[in-house]
Amino acid sequence: MAPEASPAARDHVVPDVVAGGLRVLFCGINPSLMTAATGHHFAHPGNRFWPVLHLSGFTARQLRPSEQRELLDYGLGITNVVARPTARASELGTEEFRAGGRALTAKVEELGPSWLAVVGVTAYRTAFGDRRAQIGPQERTVGGARVWALPNPSGLNAHWTVATMADEYARFRETVAASRT
């Protein structure tokens, strides 16, 4: 049996990769079963987060999921809207997203990142009750952090290619860099 197929993967809590005062806290929708089994964010082989993060200029090289703690050296971190691992985000309910939005707000207040980047605009819309949100900068702040909704890097997201995602992530990175000056 593959590790992600284990029933125990559904019960595993994946620790955040965080520190106080980050430049960007990336926020996934929820852990995949592969992430739960390995303990590494965006670990599913079809997930494009790590290549896109590098191609957009956030990291000097493409990190492997097992190297996730190196993100802290770049002033970056990772958390999730919902902590419960699932095979697909569609297994999550609206109330889970809303509760996750409240928990995420408290986490951001505590950690104080400059930016919160939610990777999945539908998750952002549901968690924060903003039905009209689009990819890009948001008008609201969350827990004091500015917010950007990014494309979901899941391999199931056929609307975005690695190249178009990297372009959007790079646009966000440039905004983050400009906001520091």
Side-chain angles (χ1 to χ4, degrees):
M1 176 183 326
E4 70 274 14
S6 166
R10 291 188 181 272
D11 297 327
H12 189 254
V13 174
V14 180
D16 293 337
V17 177
V18 296
L22 295 168
R23 283 188 308 137
V24 177
L25 179 59
F26 287 96
C27 182
I29 297 170
N30 75 306
S32 70
L33 296 179
M34 177 67 79
T35 288
T38 64
H40 305 304
H41 292 271
F42 301 104
H44 192 280
N47 195 293
R48 300 167 292 180
F49 178 79
W50 297 105
V52 167
L53 202 65
H54 169 63
L55 291 170
S56 64
F58 272 107
T59 59
R61 65 179 180 82
Q62 183 176 322
L63 300 175
R64 294 183 303 273
S66 62
E67 298 173 310
Q68 65 188 10
R69 302 236 17 114
E70 291 183 33
L71 287 176
L72 298 173
D73 297 336
Y74 293 97
L76 309 174
I78 304 177
T79 189
N80 288 289
V81 176
V82 176
R84 182 170 71 91
T86 61
R88 298 175 70 105
S90 61
E91 295 175 43
L92 301 171
T94 300
E95 187 47 43
E96 281 183 283
F97 277 110
R98 290 187 180 141
R102 292 187 296 273
L104 180 58
T105 299
K107 188 178 298 186
V108 171
E109 286 172 352
E110 178 184 334
L111 295 171
S114 298
W115 286 89
L116 173 65
V118 180
V119 294
V121 69
T122 302
Y124 173 80
R125 288 175 185 149
T126 307
F128 296 103
D130 186 352
R131 295 181 322 205
R132 296 182 182 195
Q134 299 294 317
I135 295 293
Q138 305 304 305
E139 291 184 21
R140 72 175 299 157
T141 59
V142 171
R146 289 168 283 184
V147 180
W148 196 287
L150 289 167
N152 178 355
S154 168
L156 299 175
N157 180 358
H159 299 291
W160 292 79
T161 66
V162 168
T164 58
M165 270 192 279
D167 288 345
E168 182 60 26
Y169 280 56
R171 186 170 79 101
F172 171 50
R173 182 189 50 76
E174 291 162 4
T175 301
V176 170
S179 69
R180 297 177 66 191
T181 58

